């Protein structure tokens, strides 16, 4: 009874708190002039609005704030600067409405974690949540209230540079990561001074850019969109994300920033969220080149009508919204609803109660680069690394080797390991891979370094030096890949080979006949069939963040056993793209005995590395895959059991993956769909009994009538170490 009463009071207080945010927003709204309302919907960059560099506002922005003509800034950092601007808003403007400061804290504020695609490769949502929590601690201490993350765009095309910012190709895994990041940023209490508002982006479908070219047209069937692309946005919203960002792309002929289908129908009517929507940078202005608005005024009208609440940088709302209302071209109710959503977010953050709660310089100093946060960058990076190949157990290396050749521009780089979107990440904090190796092995081992070549260009003049140092050494460690600016926004590539002459360098080193390990540093899948064929050991390090060198060295020398798995398929050649594991079967699945089936005449259909793939220094054996029932009704759940044994000699972590296939549907279904996973740790010889539950919700999809349902019939269940190497069983759903 006591417990029940407690729950009752808690729910009442949560309810009244929610109500009070809305009521409080309404009471502020009632006092606002039209101009002040518009002001809340305007966001400027610290640099752009004032004509000076980011983070240094001048008179221009002060005046805007004083007049209540701006509600938010991005790219203004530090508790001092944000505090200075907040003071004007909270003390000198008529209604004293606090500003909200946003920044792209994507994988760290100052202390840089691995890029998001790498973090997702940990298949460890609680670790990813911890990363977001740490990022929030740091950013909030520096005056940041709001991060433009998580980026949850599903991407099936690695030519698209922004694949690095997301969690890969799978809607289930992507949803887990989206929710984890929202929980991490927002914590349990958004009004605490160390939590920040999350922003689920880029809503929606941005990753479907045709040809993988950034900003390009997206045209997906509604079924494909809802089944594969939409779930992570929904998961982020359900985890309580306080905001979303509209994407740049059009989808099905309508740019997101003018899409009533996305904003009104799905977000407001179906998902019923009061999260506010910010446009992407000038995405309202881009409605003009998209060809749906003749001028900025019309663009503003389309934006607000579709319920894009805040205009980032387009100047459209600032210049035209008030007039559109006065001229009767838009209903003031639309503006009121948008302002209300923005105010609610400010109330939720507790900014009306204390606008300066994020502005404590002492706290900022103590928090930034604190041990807890820096240690976490390493912990996360260690689980993000994926071992792609390890012939004859070349790895881990013996620390007592006499000499090592470390080759490659990236081995000594201290900026590239930060990856793109690294906020205030500082290359001086980065441990290079070379230094990491040097620190690990001690003075008795000789390290011979040579750059070999740059990342791009045709210059092979450094090859000889690299060959010479390689000849002098017991083992060669070559660090190759992409510079940090080769992935991220506006960084699409039409080829995915190792850039420049890096592969030629590897071919020369290979000829020497010494053991050779390749460390890849990159933000997307690369097409490296020659490497897979010839190089005995390949480690995918991604952009690991500030702890790069120590983490790579821990893996190379076996202090840590790698446990990352790919969340995106690696193609053999660009011509296979889009290539993803959860594809449809087609009417003519490939049959080598039948020419008239779906395949390439000049290439295998299979990927270089499949989704979910990643090796360990130990081995795992799967057995006893069983189900608790072979037949269930539509409203029943099913349990799946499997035994996983560590059959090697080292302790290791394994990601146990559960896939299903719905064999016959009213519409075609994928050949495999990830439905659950568990990361477990096993001592040598240890066996763990792993259990999964398949709930009815996990089997739903959009049927022939576009209803989200579960259909009866036969299902296959697959459990294994990646999406290809699996054990199989089956069950049936009966009416
Ligand atoms: C990007 C967003 C980012 C915004 C603000 C845009 O160019 O697409 O992801 O949040 O800039 O920096």
């Amino acid at each position: 009874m006591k417990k029940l009463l407690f729950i009752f009071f808690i729910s009442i207080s949560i309810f009244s708190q929610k109500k009070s945010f809305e009521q409080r927003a309404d009471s502020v709204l009632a006092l606002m002039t039209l101009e002040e309302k518009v002001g809340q919907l305007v966001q400027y960059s610290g640099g752009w609005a004032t004509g000076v560099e980011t983070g240094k506002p001048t008179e221009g922005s002060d005046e805007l704030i004083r007049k209540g003509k701006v509600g938010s800034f991005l790219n203004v950092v530090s508790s001092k600067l944000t505090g200075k601007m907040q003071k004007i808003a909270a003390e000198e403007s008529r209604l004293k409405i606090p500003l909200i400061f946003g920044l792209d804290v994507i994988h760290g504020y100052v202390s840089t974690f691995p890029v998001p695609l790498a973090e997702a490769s940990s298949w460890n949502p609680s670790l990813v949540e911890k990363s977001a929590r740490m990022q929030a601690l740091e950013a909030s201490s520096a005056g940041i209230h709001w991060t433009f993350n998580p980026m949850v765009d599903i991407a099936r095309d690695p030519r698209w540079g922004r694949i690095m910012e997301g969690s890969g190709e799978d809607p289930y895994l992507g949803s887990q990561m989206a929710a984890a990041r929202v929980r991490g940023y927002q914590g349990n209490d958004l009004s605490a001074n160390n939590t920040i508002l999350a922003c689920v982006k880029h809503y929606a479908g941005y990753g479907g850019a045709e040809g993988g070219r950034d900003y390009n047209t997206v045209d997906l069937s509604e079924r494909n969109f809802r089944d594969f692309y939409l779930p992570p946005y929904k998961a982020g919203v359900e985890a309580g994300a306080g905001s979303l960002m509209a994407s740049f792309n059009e989808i099905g002929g309508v740019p997101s920033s003018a899409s009533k289908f996305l904003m009104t129908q799905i977000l407001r009517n179906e998902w019923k969220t009061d999260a506010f929507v910010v446009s992407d940078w000038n995405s309202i202005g881009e409605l003009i080149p998209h060809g749906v608005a003749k001028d900025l005024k019309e663009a503003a009208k389309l934006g607000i009508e579709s319920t894009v609440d805040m205009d980032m940088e387009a100047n459209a709302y600032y210049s035209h919204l008030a007039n559109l209302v006065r001229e009767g071209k838009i209903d003031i109710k639309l503006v009121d609803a948008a302002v209300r959503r923005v105010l609610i977010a400010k109330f939720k953050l507790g900014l009306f109660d204390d606008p300066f709660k994020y502005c404590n310089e002492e706290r900022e100093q103590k928090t930034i680069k604190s041990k807890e946060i820096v240690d976490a960058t390493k912990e996360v990076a260690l689980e993000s690394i994926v071992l792609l190949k390890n012939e004859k157990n070349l790895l881990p290396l013996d620390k007592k080797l006499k000499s090592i050749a470390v080759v490659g521009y990236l081995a000594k780089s201290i900026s590239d390991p930060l990856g793109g979107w690294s906020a205030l990440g500082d290359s001086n904090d980065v441990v290079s891979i070379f230094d990491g190796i040097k620190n690990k092995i001690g003075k008795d081992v000789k390290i011979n370094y040579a750059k070999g070549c740059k990342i791009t260009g045709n210059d092979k003049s450094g090859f000889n030096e690299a060959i010479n140092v390689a000849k002098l050494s017991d083992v060669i460690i070559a660090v190759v890949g992409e510079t940090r600016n080769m992935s991220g926004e506006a960084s699409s590539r039409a080829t995915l080979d190792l850039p420049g002459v890096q592969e030629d360098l590897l071919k020369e080193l290979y000829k020497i006949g010494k053991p050779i390990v390749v460390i890849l540093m990159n933000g997307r899948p690369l097409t490296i069939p020659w490497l897979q064929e010839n190089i005995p050991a390949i480690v995918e390090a991604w952009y690991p963040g500030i702890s790069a060198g120590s983490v790579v060295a821990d893996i190379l020398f076996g202090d840590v056993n790698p446990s990352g798995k790919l969340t995106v398929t690696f193609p053999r050649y660009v011509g296979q793209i889009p290539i993803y594991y959860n594809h449809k079967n087609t009417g003519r699945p490939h049959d080598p005995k039948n020419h008239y089936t779906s395949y390439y005449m000049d290439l295998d259909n299979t990927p270089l590395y499949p989704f979910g793939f990643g090796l360990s220094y130990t081995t795992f054996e799967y057995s006893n895959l069983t189900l608790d029932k072979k037949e269930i009704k539509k409203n029943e759940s099913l349990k799946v059991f499997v035994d996983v044994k560590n059959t090697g000699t080292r302790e290791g972590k394994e990601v146990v993956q559960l896939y299903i296939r719905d064999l016959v549907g009213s519409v075609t279904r994928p050949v495999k769909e990830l439905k659950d996973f568990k990361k477990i740790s096993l001592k040598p010889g240890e066996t763990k009994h792993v259990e999964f539950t398949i709930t009815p919700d996990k089997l739903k999809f959009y049927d022939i009538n576009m209803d989200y349902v579960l259909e009866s019939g036969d299902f296959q269940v697959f459990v294994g170490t990646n999406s290809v190497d699996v054990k199989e069983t089956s069950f049936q759903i009966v009416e």
Side-chain angles (χ1 to χ4, degrees):
M1 185 61 187
K2 248 185 176 170
K3 201 169 164 193
L4 269 181
L5 268 180
F6 177 72
I7 293 172
F8 176 73
F9 282 123
I10 289 282
S11 355
I12 290 272
S13 85
I14 290 171
F15 180 69
S16 55
Q17 204 187 3
K18 182 152 195 283
K19 202 128 200 215
S20 91
F21 290 143
E22 285 156 0
Q23 284 173 335
R24 290 172 77 184
D26 284 337
S27 62
V28 177
L29 196 60
L31 304 172
M32 295 172 83
T33 63
L34 178 57
E35 279 71 20
E36 284 165 338
K37 287 177 182 175
V38 171
Q40 287 306 305
L41 309 183
V42 171
Q43 184 187 52
Y44 287 127
S45 171
W48 186 90
T50 59
V52 295
E53 274 184 351
T54 299
K56 291 181 196 150
T58 65
E59 283 303 301
S61 56
D62 289 1
E63 209 41 40
L64 288 177
I65 302 168
R66 204 167 281 120
K67 289 186 181 144
K69 289 191 162 191
V70 56
S72 173
F73 281 89
L74 75 154
N75 298 338
V76 177
V77 297
S78 85
S79 56
K80 195 169 172 185
L81 277 171
T82 56
K84 207 172 132 222
M85 292 164 83
Q86 191 70 295
K87 200 163 162 25
I88 305 175
E91 291 175 5
E92 296 174 34
S93 73
R94 193 179 75 90
L95 291 174
K96 310 192 176 351
I97 300 175
L99 293 164
I100 177 169
F101 292 99
L103 186 76
D104 292 283
V105 182
I106 307 296
H107 52 115
Y109 176 66
V110 173
S111 306
T112 308
F113 286 76
V115 294
L117 184 63
E119 288 194 335
S121 309
S122 70
W123 290 62
N124 187 341
S126 51
L127 196 62
V128 170
E129 179 175 337
K130 180 172 179 180
S131 164
R133 187 84 281 283
M134 295 295 120
Q135 298 172 40
L137 285 186
E138 238 185 21
S140 63
S141 80
I144 304 303
H145 308 137
W146 177 25
T147 176
F148 305 126
N149 211 32
M151 187 284 213
V152 305
D153 304 326
I154 293 295
R156 293 171 164 181
D157 191 332
R159 288 173 296 183
W160 192 54
R162 302 200 81 168
I163 196 169
M164 172 281 276
E165 296 169 48
S167 294
E169 72 191 33
D170 184 66
Y172 180 79
L173 185 104
S175 298
Q176 301 298 310
M177 295 302 167
R181 289 190 166 109
V182 170
R183 287 195 302 267
Y185 290 127
Q186 298 196 164
N188 297 326
D189 175 10
L190 203 46
S191 73
N193 70 355
N194 61 11
T195 53
I196 57 178
L197 197 75
C199 180
V200 170
K201 74 182 188 187
H202 306 81
Y203 184 70
Y206 186 29
E210 283 178 0
R213 209 181 69 222
D214 205 7
Y215 316 120
N216 203 8
T217 305
V218 174
D219 200 352
L220 302 167
S221 70
E222 189 176 341
R223 184 184 311 289
N224 189 3
F225 177 62
R226 284 191 182 264
D227 274 343
F228 297 100
Y229 288 80
L230 211 48
Y233 305 103
K234 183 162 187 253
V237 166
E238 282 174 353
S243 70
L244 293 99
M245 184 184 288
S247 56
F248 286 127
N249 56 283
E250 72 159 82
I251 176 159
V254 185
S256 299
S257 301
S259 172
K260 288 187 184 161
F261 169 66
L262 289 180
M263 304 299 163
T264 318
Q265 184 178 322
I266 297 182
L267 206 55
R268 308 294 176 207
N269 299 345
E270 294 180 23
W271 298 351
K272 305 201 183 320
T273 175
D274 64 4
F276 76 93
V277 176
V278 63
S279 76
D280 202 344
W281 185 286
N282 190 36
S283 66
I284 296 179
E286 288 170 19
L287 297 176
I288 304 168
H290 268 299
V292 293
K294 70 172 184 308
D295 53 26
L296 200 58
K297 189 168 180 181
E298 199 176 343
K301 183 170 182 287
L302 289 174
I304 197 77
E305 279 175 350
S306 67
T307 78
V308 173
D309 301 316
M310 190 181 275
D311 171 6
M312 180 196 285
E313 285 287 331
N315 232 13
Y317 289 1
Y318 179 83
S319 311
H320 299 293
L321 220 46
N323 280 340
L324 283 164
V325 174
R326 280 190 210 102
E327 290 162 14
K329 292 194 173 124
I330 57 166
D331 192 335
I332 182 70
K333 283 191 192 134
L334 281 172
V335 175
D336 284 351
V339 175
R340 195 167 183 263
R341 284 189 283 267
V342 172
L343 293 178
I344 287 174
K346 292 183 176 181
F347 274 114
K348 283 185 182 165
L349 283 163
L351 292 174
F352 277 95
D353 300 321
D354 178 2
F356 303 107
K357 57 197 284 195
Y358 290 67
C359 305
N360 177 336
E361 286 183 57
E362 200 186 309
R363 179 183 146 215
E364 180 178 5
Q365 259 176 16
K366 269 200 216 138
T367 310
I368 289 186
K369 294 203 256 179
S370 66
K371 186 170 178 321
E372 185 192 16
I373 300 175
V374 172
D375 286 353
T377 64
K378 184 167 177 193
E379 189 189 348
V380 177
L382 279 170
E383 288 208 23
S384 304
I385 289 185
V386 186
L387 180 63
L388 295 175
K389 187 175 173 194
N390 193 19
E391 206 172 79
K392 297 195 192 125
N393 293 330
L394 172 56
L395 292 176
L397 297 172
D398 188 346
K399 283 180 203 153
K400 291 192 206 89
L401 286 164
K402 285 206 189 64
S403 55
I404 301 177
V406 177
V407 177
Y409 164 88
L410 289 169
K412 280 208 172 175
S413 170
I414 51 169
S415 61
D416 295 298
L418 292 173
W421 288 114
S422 57
L424 275 72
D426 183 351
S427 51
N428 293 312
D429 295 332
V430 173
V431 182
S432 72
I433 294 194
F434 177 85
D435 282 343
I437 294 172
K438 202 170 95 190
N439 299 340
K440 174 71 67 186
I441 53 176
K443 290 191 195 74
D444 297 337
V445 188
K446 176 126 182 41
I447 310 193
N448 304 304
Y449 172 77
K451 185 167 85 177
C453 60
K454 288 194 182 146
I455 302 301
T456 51
N458 298 323
D459 185 3
K460 296 187 178 178
S461 59
F463 277 26
N464 277 343
E465 189 198 359
I467 292 164
N468 289 340
V469 302
K471 282 183 178 159
L472 291 173
S473 312
D474 295 340
V475 62
I476 307 163
I477 300 173
V479 189
V480 293
E482 300 177 312
T483 53
R484 63 193 290 225
N485 57 8
M486 292 181 84
S487 33
E489 187 175 350
S491 301
S492 297
R493 293 183 61 201
T495 58
L496 294 176
D497 303 337
L498 276 175
V501 290
Q502 294 181 97
E503 193 165 306
D504 295 339
L505 174 66
L506 292 179
K507 285 178 179 160
E508 293 303 320
L509 296 174
Y510 172 75
K511 281 187 206 153
I512 301 169
K514 298 261 170 103
I516 174 164
V517 181
V518 163
I519 312 287
L520 294 170
M521 195 187 285
N522 49 300
R524 55 152 65 85
L526 296 172
T527 49
I528 44 170
W530 183 87
L531 273 71
Q532 172 57 23
E533 182 94 35
N534 299 289
I535 300 290
I538 307 175
V539 177
E540 176 55 87
W542 310 109
Y543 299 113
I546 51 171
S547 308
S550 14
V551 169
V552 168
D554 277 353
I555 298 276
L556 283 179
F557 294 94
D559 289 337
V560 174
N561 193 349
S563 65
K565 305 258 187 180
L566 300 177
T567 63
V568 65
T569 304
F570 272 47
R572 293 171 192 277
Y573 290 98
V574 166
Q576 291 179 304
I577 296 170
I579 180 169
Y580 47 93
Y581 86 96
N582 47 358
H583 60 85
K584 302 293 182 70
N585 200 37
T586 81
R588 293 187 178 194
H590 183 216
D591 173 357
K593 286 182 246 99
N594 186 351
H595 173 63
Y596 293 99
T597 55
S598 182
Y599 79 113
Y600 297 105
M601 290 171 72
D602 51 356
L603 191 67
D604 210 273
N605 276 4
T606 57
L608 188 63
Y609 305 115
F611 176 83
F613 177 79
L615 302 170
S616 162
Y617 294 153
T618 190
T619 44
F620 301 102
E621 191 183 275
Y622 286 66
S623 62
N624 301 328
L625 174 61
T626 49
L627 308 176
D628 68 341
K629 295 169 215 146
K630 281 299 235 182
E631 205 178 272
I632 52 168
K633 300 217 172 68
K634 279 184 171 176
N635 58 355
E636 286 175 350
S637 293
L638 180 86
K639 284 202 188 318
V640 181
F641 309 103
V642 71
D643 290 333
V644 184
K645 182 174 182 191
N646 182 342
T647 47
T649 53
R650 281 172 171 267
E651 185 167 358
K653 289 181 184 160
E654 168 69 333
V655 180
V656 185
Q657 303 166 33
L658 168 81
Y659 299 86
I660 62 129
R661 178 172 179 186
D662 183 347
L663 281 165
V664 180
S666 61
V667 293
T668 60
R669 305 298 305 140
V671 295
K672 263 182 200 135
E673 291 177 90
L674 182 74
K675 290 298 170 184
D676 212 340
F677 58 88
K678 279 204 173 108
K679 192 161 189 176
I680 56 169
S681 186
L682 292 169
K683 298 209 163 50
E686 187 185 355
T687 300
K688 274 192 180 153
H689 188 64
V690 179
E691 182 180 318
F692 296 107
T693 305
I694 302 181
T695 57
D697 266 353
K698 289 193 171 164
L699 302 175
K700 287 186 180 166
F701 61 95
Y702 287 89
D703 73 357
I704 189 83
N705 303 312
M706 286 307 284
D707 291 325
Y708 191 62
V709 297
L710 176 159
E711 291 181 343
S712 55
D714 293 327
F715 290 77
Q716 285 172 305
V717 176
F718 312 92
V719 178
T721 185
N722 61 55
S723 60
V724 172
D725 301 318
V726 286
K727 300 266 176 219
E728 190 186 321
T729 181
S730 60
F731 70 94
Q732 210 179 31
I733 298 186
V734 291
E735 287 292 338

